[in-house]
Amino acid sequence: MSTEPQDADDDLKERVTNFLRRNFPQIQMHGGSAAIQHLDRESGEVSIALGGACSGCGISPMTIQAIKSRMVKEIPEINKVNADTGMGGGGMGDDGGMSPSFPGETTRDDEGDEGPQAPF
Amino acid sequence: MTDFDPEKFEEKYVHYFPQLQRAYKSAFETMNEEYDSTLIHGIDQQILNESEPVYEDGRFRIQLPENPHDRLTSVVVDDEKLDATLERYVEELEAEHHRVFGVERP
């Protein structure tokens, strides 16, 4: 268990979620999703997974850069943003699995291990 | 047509997000039609996700990450083919930026 107060974690998570919802409504509008996978309040590092149609819409690379660039500026507690579509492009190791998807297609069905899902 | 302001492009993700979306999506669709879809998706998700469009000297340029070959782990492709496809993709992206922002290439 962390020694950090749960309330502070929840508050920061909520601000990250709100930031995404407010500034990137397109993610949801285009059939995608954004979920906070991990948030380390101490180091200010957050990992976000774009899913659904985001995985193959062609806009996600730029959206990822936009999220990274803006979030560190607009949420002072956040120092580093890892964001990817689960294809291993974010620098963390993964199993290399790939499941291309296309705009309008939703392929997210095997999730649910941890972390709250952003409501969009 | 967007009234392009180079200074505002410094904060491109704030001021020009919809235009950038359009440029990236059009380039992706063109490439997806012309080339192997799996390779295009791989480039899109694993190389371009660390790329950034910059505007300097009157033209748009796509800044790629340093090690594009190492980043692409989801697709088996030889270096020559990857280089050629990536070069073409970047060209298409730059052309789309000029088109979307109504900026003629010098």
Side-chain angles (χ1 to χ4, degrees):
Chain A
M1 280 296 168
S2 163
T3 52
E4 290 294 325
Q6 188 66 36
D7 283 356
D9 270 2
D10 288 348
D11 175 59
L12 188 54
K13 263 183 190 165
E14 197 176 319
R15 283 163 60 205
V16 169
T17 301
N18 286 340
F19 165 87
L20 291 167
R21 192 169 39 198
R22 191 177 62 245
N23 295 303
F24 298 93
Q26 300 89 344
I27 293 173
Q28 186 189 20
M29 281 156 56
H30 294 171
S33 64
I36 300 170
Q37 299 232 301
H38 180 71
L39 176 63
D40 186 330
R41 204 171 184 282
E42 239 169 79
S43 65
E45 191 166 342
V46 63
S47 299
I48 293 163
L50 298 183
C54 288
S55 308
C57 71
I59 297 174
S60 57
M62 189 273 298
T63 305
I64 283 171
Q65 288 295 81
I67 290 172
K68 286 178 176 178
S69 163
R70 290 189 62 178
M71 198 185 289
V72 293
K73 286 181 191 162
E74 295 180 31
I75 305 179
E77 290 92 332
I78 299 295
N79 298 314
K80 187 167 193 279
V81 182
N82 305 307
D84 63 54
T85 55
M87 278 184 60
M92 299 291 283
D94 76 342
D95 59 7
M98 179 182 174
S99 53
S101 63
F102 296 87
E105 182 184 46
T106 313
T107 58
R108 203 139 178 101
D109 57 10
D110 59 350
E111 212 188 348
D113 47 349
E114 62 171 311
Q117 181 109 12
F120 55 90
Chain B
M1 188 61 73
T2 310
D3 196 7
F4 182 69
D5 179 345
E7 276 187 27
K8 280 167 89 177
F9 202 72
E10 299 285 314
E11 289 287 335
K12 53 186 169 283
Y13 299 126
V14 176
H15 299 298
Y16 291 128
F17 193 58
Q19 291 86 346
L20 291 169
Q21 281 188 316
R22 215 154 55 229
Y24 270 78
K25 186 159 182 83
S26 297
F28 174 79
E29 284 173 352
T30 302
M31 294 301 294
N32 211 24
E33 279 170 20
E34 289 180 18
Y35 292 84
D36 172 25
S37 175
T38 307
L39 177 56
I40 296 306
H41 272 76
I43 290 175
D44 184 54
Q45 301 297 307
Q46 296 193 300
I47 297 176
L48 292 182
N49 68 339
E50 287 294 332
S51 75
E52 187 162 2
V54 292
Y55 180 80
E56 56 190 12
D57 302 327
R59 61 189 309 148
F60 292 98
R61 184 169 60 78
I62 304 297
Q63 212 165 45
L64 292 175
E66 273 180 23
N67 48 351
H69 289 204
D70 297 346
R71 294 184 60 82
L72 191 67
T73 57
S74 62
V75 188
V76 178
V77 61
D78 63 67
D79 286 357
E80 205 177 318
K81 187 177 178 188
L82 174 57
D83 283 338
T85 312
L86 187 56
E87 192 180 330
R88 170 77 186 87
Y89 203 147
V90 166
E91 235 171 60
E92 187 62 29
L93 266 174
E94 290 172 350
E96 280 299 341
H97 278 72
H98 278 277
R99 208 169 298 148
V100 163
F101 289 105
V103 176
E104 279 190 38
R105 291 190 192 212

